[in-house]
């Protein structure tokens, strides 16, 4: 598997799932639960195990401003790193001090710091800063989010031994592999074309021999296009947009969306009725979310080790 | 038009075609001839005109080995540059002297030479050298072929003011624009997933709001998938593979293939019968081929001017 090359070079293996996990279905359905939380925990175990006797990976997260969701994200990332014995530090920059110059200076310092394996610049940035221009200052070799043009370009040309893959689509590929779902020769439809999910997901699908379609807000006949999918990736950012009318019976559906309603209940881009016709589906929560953090941990290990 | 941003910043305009050219059809059909040669000549005129009083762009082409087709290509590129008043030189390295070290040394010298705007490393390289590793040594700012991971990555993340677009897909986008064919909301199917045509073409299609499908040798039901296309890009490298069974009536077909038969006759990936059902089609020769060279000329001008 091409996407796994760099991980493999560092000693990681595609997690093997016990049969009962592979066959667990949503209640009253034949739809297999693609348990991202489980796969994430197995990746975490490998991080811990492979870390023995190796350089301790360290993540430096830059948190500029006071966005509450960002504070939660950065906090949970730090916890995941601690759980596997990796180091992490958070550099807090209050909005009042958060200028482009200040952020670039911070990044340059972390670029030069040999104790730092990976740098994460938490988005969104406050004060209407140019996020792309500031992100671009992160050293390619420490871009564990895989957001840099240089890493996306390495993915595009198929250099899997050097690139950092964006964590969410990387996690989706691992999940499919762990459940024995081979994308080769299948129709993969990616709904959404963001730089951090849709586009790298499409490039990963192409490299795995899928016939890949990228659909988005300007797509006509979206339900019809989605119904062509053997593997449907919903990364559209609209709650429950993908209903059963969008899904071919027996297909595999991956829900990248995370939405929180007024009661704090979390759900995704995929509606509840899809489980009655898909053959496998990621739950939300417990699907792609935990995997994204696991892949960030792994990318930081790869930055430290190879 | 996003893909045109860098060209626009340098003063280039999408070529305007006279009505009679836009309406010219293949004999006995209603299928418009997408005249790449004409659009290429209008791009060349702009290179000449905009070059007045500006720094003279210069291409340095490295030709390693004695491949006859490569000699022809490099020769015709040189001629196109001379025609618009741009400089070009060819550095010949015979097979007997063509080592990785020698090529990298040559590239480093050209990277540092301020008189050289663009560097072209003609492929294939002899002596089983690592083409990707050697190409990667070209300075991003002189990569007028747009082959580097760094430039492909800028395209992927949508930074159109800095990237160099790969010449063939760049030419296809210009051709569509010159004929008033807007890809937004249309289904674009790209057959072929090479780094120099298929993948950058797909990324350009996505940025132009097409719903893009990338098909390839592992695709099942290729004719059916192609028949979904409003714009079909054939970059498959097999003579006449795309027959009328692959084409939706009224669609636009772009033929990127170039094949020469035993009698020297040139034809493409698209069979002759397609013109009876497509609404527009590029001829081979005289379609995408001349445009590719025109875009190389333009990219070298962009390297010199902005």
């Amino acid at each position: 598997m091409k996407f796994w090359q760099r991980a493999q070079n560092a000693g990681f293996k595609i997690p093997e799932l016990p049969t009962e996990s592979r066959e667990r279905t949503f209640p009253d359905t034949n739809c297999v639960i693609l348990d991202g939380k489980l796969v994430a925990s197995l990746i975490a175990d490998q991080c811990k195990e492979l870390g023995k006797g190796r350089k301790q990976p360290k993540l430096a997260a830059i948190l500029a401003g006071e966005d509450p969701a960002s504070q939660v994200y950065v906090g949970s990332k730090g916890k995941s790193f601690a759980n596997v014995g990796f180091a992490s530090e958070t550099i807090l920059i209050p909005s009042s001090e958060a200028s482009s110059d200040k952020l670039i200076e911070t990044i340059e310092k972390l670029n030069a710091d040999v104790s730092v394996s990976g740098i994460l610049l938490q988005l969104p940035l406050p004060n209407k800063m140019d996020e792309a221009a500031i992100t671009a200052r992160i050293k390619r070799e420490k871009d564990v989010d895989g957001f840099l043009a240089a890493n996306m370009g390495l993915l595009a040309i198929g250099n899997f031994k050097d690139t950092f893959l964006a964590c969410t689509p990387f996690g989706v590929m691992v999940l499919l592999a762990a459940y024995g779902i081979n994308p080769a020769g299948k129709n993969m439809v990616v709904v959404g074309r963001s730089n951090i999910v849709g586009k790298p997901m499409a490039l990963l699908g192409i490299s795995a021999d899928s016939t890949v379609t990228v659909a988005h807000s300007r797509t006509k006949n979206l339900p019809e296009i989605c119904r062509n999918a053997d593997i449907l990736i919903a990364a559209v950012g609209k709650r429950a947009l993908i209903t059963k009318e969008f899904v071919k019976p027996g297909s595999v559906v991956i829900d990248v969306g995370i939405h929180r309603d007024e009661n704090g209940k979390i759900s995704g881009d995929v509606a509840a009725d899809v489980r009655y016709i898909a053959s496998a589906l990621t739950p939300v929560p417990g699907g792609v979310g935990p995997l994204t953090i696991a892949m960030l941990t792994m990318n930081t290990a790869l930055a430290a080790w190879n």
Side-chain angles (χ1 to χ4, degrees), chain A residues 233-279:
Chain A
I233 318 277
V236 66
K238 290 193 181 158
R239 184 201 311 255
L241 179 87
I242 305 295
T243 57
K244 68 179 186 337
E245 288 71 30
F246 289 63
V247 176
K248 179 163 74 174
S251 61
V252 172
V253 180
I254 307 289
D255 188 349
V256 178
I258 297 183
H259 311 278
R260 193 182 295 266
D261 74 10
E262 55 280 7
N263 304 317
K265 192 169 171 259
I266 290 175
S267 60
D269 290 351
V270 174
D273 58 3
V274 166
R275 67 188 59 172
Y276 297 101
I277 60 164
S279 67

Side-chain angles (χ1 to χ4, degrees), chain A residues 102-183:
Chain A
K102 174 73 182 167
L103 263 74
I104 289 169
E105 187 199 309
T106 306
I107 289 170
E108 298 289 3
K109 208 177 289 175
L110 297 170
N111 282 343
D113 183 343
V114 292
S115 80
V116 171
S117 326
I119 301 170
L120 181 149
L121 177 64
Q122 184 66 44
L123 303 180
L125 297 179
N127 306 335
K128 292 179 184 165
M129 284 185 275
D130 184 339
E131 297 184 344
I134 295 171
T135 302
R137 303 300 284 265
I138 296 171
K139 198 176 168 187
R140 190 196 74 70
E141 289 78 6
K142 298 191 178 190
D143 171 37
V144 289
D145 258 338
F147 289 178
L148 287 189
N151 279 316
M152 183 100 96
L154 289 174
L155 159 59
I157 70 166
N159 179 342
F160 287 97
K161 73 180 200 302
D162 294 320
T163 190
F164 285 108
L165 298 171
C167 299
T168 299
F170 193 5
V172 172
M173 294 301 287
V174 176
L175 187 66
L176 293 173
Y179 278 86
I181 299 164
N182 182 356

Side-chain angles (χ1 to χ4, degrees), chain A residues 84-95:
Chain A
V84 299
F86 292 1
S88 71
E89 67 169 320
T90 303
I91 295 119
L92 292 169
I93 304 178
S95 302

Side-chain angles (χ1 to χ4, degrees), chain A residues 27-48:
Chain A
D28 306 320
T29 72
N30 296 316
C31 181
V32 169
I33 299 171
L34 298 173
D35 188 341
K37 204 171 161 186
L38 171 63
V39 174
S41 75
L42 297 171
I43 295 281
D45 290 346
Q46 292 188 47
C47 286
K48 207 167 181 173

Side-chain angles (χ1 to χ4, degrees), chain A residues 64-83:
Chain A
E66 293 78 24
D67 184 70
S70 293
Q71 289 171 341
V72 172
Y73 292 143
V74 169
S76 72
K77 285 166 189 169
K79 216 176 111 192
S80 301
F81 275 70
N83 281 344

